[in-house]
């Protein structure tokens, strides 16, 4: 059994709360309430099991110089309302997950949570070999991070019912790609509960 950690990607108010910046711009995530609810359960159970829980936040510093040319040209309108600003309510982890400033948290400014962050040395320092992944957006930041984890030789289990995308189809496509290409083992909270371990240690 390899040391495991739960990685919760970008479950922030800006993405997941009805008053967040992305929903206010007409870009809500389908079924996100269920994904947050399932993830909250997994976070609690993982903590009880004594395994690490790591949160990521996609945020930008004042002036948004770290947003970069490509992201700023996507035309979402996020910059105009200063969405996902570092230190803002919009950029904070949703209350449902019970996050505190004592939790292990990695801030990022790109889709891939490993790119230019401390995530990899943090995981190595914890001795983690197996990542159980939840979060948003399934086919963007989640998939980018899962691919990066695979290329760094982590074993990955994706909790599909703990993820959400703008449409069910985009969610399903992201899950299918990650599973079919072998980047992650696809699981659900219900499946792991049936196997006796929602923290992911049931994976082979």
């Amino acid at each position: 059994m390899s040391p495991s950690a739960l990685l919760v990607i970008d479950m922030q108010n800006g993405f997941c709360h009805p008053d967040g910046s992305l929903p206010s711009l007409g870009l809500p995530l389908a079924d996100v309430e269920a994904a947050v609810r399932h993830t909250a359960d997994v976070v609690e159970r993982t903590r009880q099991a004594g395994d690490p829980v790591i949160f990521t936040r996609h945020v930008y510093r004042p002036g948004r110089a770290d947003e970069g040319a490509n992201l700023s040209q996507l035309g979402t309108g996020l910059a105009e309302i200063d969405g996902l600003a570092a230190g803002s309510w919009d950029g904070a982890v949703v209350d449902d997950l019970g996050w505190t400033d004592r939790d292990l948290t990695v801030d990022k400014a790109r889709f891939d949570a490993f790119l230019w962050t401390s995530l990899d040395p943090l995981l190595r320092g914890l001795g983690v070999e197996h990542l159980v992944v939840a979060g948003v957006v399934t086919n963007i930041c989640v998939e980018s991070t899962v691919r990066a984890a695979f290329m760094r030789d982590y074993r990955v289990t994706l909790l599909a019912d703990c993820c959400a995308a703008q449409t069910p189809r985009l969610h399903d496509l992201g899950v299918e790609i990650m599973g079919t290409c072998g980047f992650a083992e696809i699981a659900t909270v219900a499946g792991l509960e049936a196997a006796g371990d929602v923290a992911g240690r049931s994976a082979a």
Side-chain angles (χ1 to χ4, degrees):
M1 183 187 301
S2 62
S4 297
L6 175 64
L7 180 63
V8 181
I9 298 173
D10 300 356
M11 281 198 159
Q12 302 159 252
N13 291 316
F15 293 105
C16 301
H17 194 282
D19 297 327
S21 57
L22 273 297
S24 74
L25 292 166
L27 299 168
L29 303 180
D31 303 318
V32 70
E33 297 88 354
V36 170
R37 185 172 65 252
H38 291 314
T39 301
D41 182 54
V42 176
V43 167
E44 179 60 28
R45 291 171 182 261
T46 303
R47 285 171 168 159
Q48 290 177 359
D51 288 337
V53 179
I54 301 167
F55 297 88
T56 75
R57 298 180 298 201
H58 194 105
V59 293
Y60 300 110
R61 293 178 177 84
R64 306 179 76 88
D66 52 348
E67 187 173 30
N70 287 348
L71 286 178
S72 65
Q73 291 173 9
L74 288 179
T76 61
L78 200 61
E80 286 74 11
I81 62 171
D82 202 22
L84 301 178
S88 69
W89 172 86
D90 200 60
V93 176
V94 292
D95 289 342
D96 310 64
L97 301 186
W99 179 91
T100 74
D101 59 9
R102 298 187 64 183
D103 282 306
L104 297 173
T105 307
V106 175
D107 288 341
K108 65 188 185 67
R110 292 295 183 273
F111 298 155
D112 170 6
F114 287 91
L115 185 61
W116 305 327
T117 75
S118 62
L119 180 56
D120 195 44
L122 175 61
L123 293 172
R124 304 292 180 190
L126 292 168
V128 170
E129 299 174 12
H130 175 212
L131 284 177
V132 180
V133 177
V136 298
V137 175
T138 312
N139 60 311
I140 303 177
C141 291
V142 173
E143 184 177 337
S144 296
T145 301
V146 164
R147 288 171 177 261
F150 176 81
M151 295 307 297
R152 287 167 172 80
D153 293 325
Y154 292 100
R155 191 163 55 87
V156 182
T157 299
L158 177 76
L159 298 180
D161 55 353
C162 293
C163 299
Q166 286 185 3
T167 67
R169 179 174 180 271
L170 288 173
H171 169 78
D172 291 343
L173 284 172
V175 171
E176 180 180 355
I177 288 169
M178 286 182 273
T180 301
C181 293
F183 300 142
E185 177 179 348
I186 308 303
T188 63
V189 173
L192 291 180
E193 285 176 341
D197 192 350
V198 297
R201 290 186 294 245
S202 60

